[in-house]
Amino acid sequence: MDVYEALERWRGLAPEAGSGSAGAPRYVLLEGFHALKHALRFGAVVPVALCADRAAALELAAELAPDLEAALAGLLVEVDAETLRGLVARPHPTGVAALAERPAPVAVEAALRGARRTPVVVLDQPRHLGNAGAVVRLAAGFGASGVVTTGPLDPWHPTVVRGGAGLHFATAVAPLEVPELPDGPLFALDPEGADIRGLTLPDDALLAFGSERHGLTAELRARADHLVALPMRPQVSSYNLATSVGMTLFHWASASGAAPA
């Protein structure tokens, strides 16, 4: 693909890569080499990828992703840095940007509602886009079946995808409301809950986390089968959301044969 064709394709697809959940944009922006690398590794369809320095990007591929070196050599199209800045609001330091096709809702639903061997993380009314992205990255690393958000935050917002480093394609990510949550025992993190160190979390659990400021909503708390607390020193008010998710997934993984080695 030459530069003219790549730019025409980008400009044709970019309007379909929106920032809100309304209308479920068909394409998502991948910002940076690592986001593109992860998306490709987990089967994303990437119709166009641009870079400001093709030689540097392929050098990164040779060093960090030799499994994708040939694919990236055939995909990356070099454009000048000024052109790239005109297309991407915050160009990544690696000078790489791509558009990827968002997974079909039916495939996401199937992953969340089918037989599961690993938990689904539920973020109840999250507020911070970057934290949500960090949670997706954690969930992908632990092999979780999915990440679900309740409330208005779009888990496919470009800032969330940026924070997730392209690993939205490694797990099922969707906005749902509490009555729509998948089946499975729901363990909700709450300071009044039982100490997690005395519990075994089942592989098909839903692990729910409230926002740092407001905690769990009354609706989700009422839906919970178990309230669970993380160990915390007195007078420390809370952990960062992604930290709480990481601690809980590690606790699950420590006792589960389904966790990645």
Side-chain angles (χ1 to χ4, degrees), residues 53-75:
D53 186 335
R54 192 170 186 275
L58 292 179
E59 186 176 334
L60 272 179
E63 179 185 357
L64 302 175
D67 54 312
L68 296 173
E69 198 170 355
L72 288 165
L75 183 61

Side-chain angles (χ1 to χ4, degrees), residues 2-23:
D2 63 23
V3 173
Y4 176 80
E5 183 182 357
L7 291 176
E8 285 296 297
R9 182 172 294 186
W10 185 285
R11 290 172 178 133
L13 298 178
E16 298 183 52
S19 61
S21 58

